[in-house]
Amino acid sequence: MLYASLCWELGEDVATQNLRTSLRLYRLTGEESVMVAQQDEAPFIGMTTRKTRRTALALPIPASTAPGDYGLELIVYDGTTGNPWPIADPRAIVGQRWPLAEVIEIGPKY
């Protein structure tokens, strides 16, 4: 398992929206990245509106995952349409994926 603890700053209308998160692990292979694990959750459903909220996300890593370098990313998306929320930040990947860790090294199994 790979765990991520996130702190959110939420607007007043978040509680009324169907927002979901998708925590994703990508294998870094040259210029390409290949998704090897994904865990989607709805951490904001049923919450009362607060300015900040901390969430803990868990991503199961498949036993067949090869040793190597991986990137951890997060997408926030509309749970009704499946459309990702755009991120207006130059660090965002294709304007929708937020990098949580640029390189995570997964070693061999012992």
Side-chain angles (χ1 to χ4, degrees), residues 43-104:
F44 309 119
I45 289 187
M47 68 168 274
T48 58
T49 301
R50 303 188 264 199
K51 185 169 177 108
T52 60
R53 179 181 175 104
R54 184 173 301 274
T55 59
L57 305 175
L59 179 66
I61 298 176
S64 61
T65 301
D69 291 339
Y70 292 80
L72 184 65
E73 300 173 7
L74 182 78
I75 292 178
V76 176
Y77 65 96
D78 182 312
T80 304
T81 65
N83 294 330
W85 274 33
I87 302 171
D89 189 297
R91 295 172 288 178
I93 300 163
V94 296
Q96 63 187 18
R97 295 175 8 212
W98 188 258
L100 296 179
E102 290 184 20
V103 177
I104 296 173

